[in-house]
Amino acid sequence: MKKVITYGTFDLLHEGHYRLLERAKALGDYLIVGVTSEAYDKARGKLNVIDSLATRIENVRKTGFADEIIVEESHGQKVQDVKKYKIDIFTVGSDWTGTFDYMKDYCQVVYLERTKNISSTMLRVQNKRIQRIGIIGTGRIAERFVPEAKLVSGITTQGCYNPHVESAKRFAERWEIEAYEDIESFYGAMDAVYIASPHETHYAYIKSALEHGKHVLCEKPMVLKAAQAEELFRYARAHELILFEGIKTAYCPGFNKLLGVACSGIIGSIRNVEVCFTKLENPDNRELTDRKYGGSLTELGSYVMLPILKLFGENYEEIRFDVIRGENGLDLFTKISASYANGIATATCGLGVKSEGRLLIAGTKGYMIAEAPWWKTSYFEVHYENPLEVEKYSERFLGEGLRYEISDFLSMINGRNSSEFKLTRSESVALADIMEKFLKAEGRAEK
Ligand code: C2G
């Protein structure tokens, strides 16, 4: 008798899961399915699992393919199970290709092709919404999205679009999703879109996605003009759509903990915020060659201005930009100074000058410090007058951290607004306004 084993969360059981189980069963005579426990999903960083373990087991049972169902409780259990149940074949979807090659020492390993398109009919049968998301723009940023979205339950990356069809096809092949050549059929297959195209194309893509009734998660900087941000938010709200600016720091748990502590009064009244983020960029990349929209501020300004807007608000009295420019006129290093009625702030960003990336928040009773990479906050300290008195805080930050914003975006689509405060619409407008002021000061504003 040939024994097969497979594992999964099987949350909101859908067509992809069903087809996987069907083919897994066909590989042998007896199929064991390991369903992940809640604690294990938490440990491996899977977010937003909706169904309880009991429901997920019941849904797998109802498919009729499993001869036996077990619970997967920890990392490392797979090898033990293979030995314990005398398994011949371990199988899992091809989105995991390579990951489980280590199992080849114990049994045969088969990666079954992932189901690319989850049809809306199947979703209706389940009577639960799984959001189908499509990616616009298939460059470097988009590469990080697919593996992170896979760790958010209730959302499936369905396809991608890029006017450069070859780039879209390469991307789609790599991630086993569908490449769409025509934007209308792309929109037709999606509930939501993730925009990861060059900055200056965001506005037009957001507008057309909203006009097609799609929710939008857009990479920072969402747009480069305050009026455009206002117009798009107004349209989204009027049509009950979510428009969400993807600044990953705003949604990561550590950064939110840091803001909470900063505002708790333990460092007194906050008077100064100094923040820096530099990333030496390849001089041939778009960031340092696009003379109109490139440079350090459009690239990194959203990150460095975020803690300042969160802690001091949007009503600065004055804002100033000091810039070191490269030969082509683009800002290699930019310092933004903002003054407020009760505080001062400096935000530094750079693509061609390296500095120490840190976030420092100074108050009347003490200060807080988060070292690089503070924009993926996992650790920070609180200091006081007595240098020996230091409080240390840490928080988990998993992978690239995009899963947190994806999970919050999904919650908002599903009608839960409890994450809205993490980056408000008016903060997004204020960020667009800063980009606009800067481009104007640099003589790069659009006519
Ligand atoms: N799957 C698929 N097509 C999809 C979605 C999922 O073939 N469109 C497959 C996955 O590759 C996996 C199974 O369905 O083999 C279950 O998927 P999930 O519930 O998302 O579980 P996963 O996180 O992939 O867990 O220890 C757990 C395992 O590592 C897999």
Side-chain angles (χ1 to χ4, degrees), residues 6-11 14-21 23 34-36 40-41 44 46 56 72 74 78 90-96 99-100 112-118 150-151 153 156-158:
T6 191
Y7 296 87
T9 304
F10 302 106
D11 189 32
H14 60 64
E15 202 174 348
H17 301 137
Y18 186 90
R19 292 197 58 239
L20 187 284
L21 293 174
R23 287 170 295 154
V35 180
T36 53
Y40 180 46
D41 272 330
R44 71 190 185 116
K46 191 142 187 168
R56 291 182 285 121
E72 185 183 26
S74 63
K78 291 184 175 87
F90 166 88
T91 189
V92 71
S94 54
D95 44 332
W96 291 100
T99 311
F100 296 108
L112 292 168
E113 197 185 337
R114 174 188 185 272
T115 303
K116 282 184 187 164
N117 284 312
I118 310 292
K150 199 162 115 65
L151 289 158
S153 198
T156 174
T157 309
Q158 189 99 331

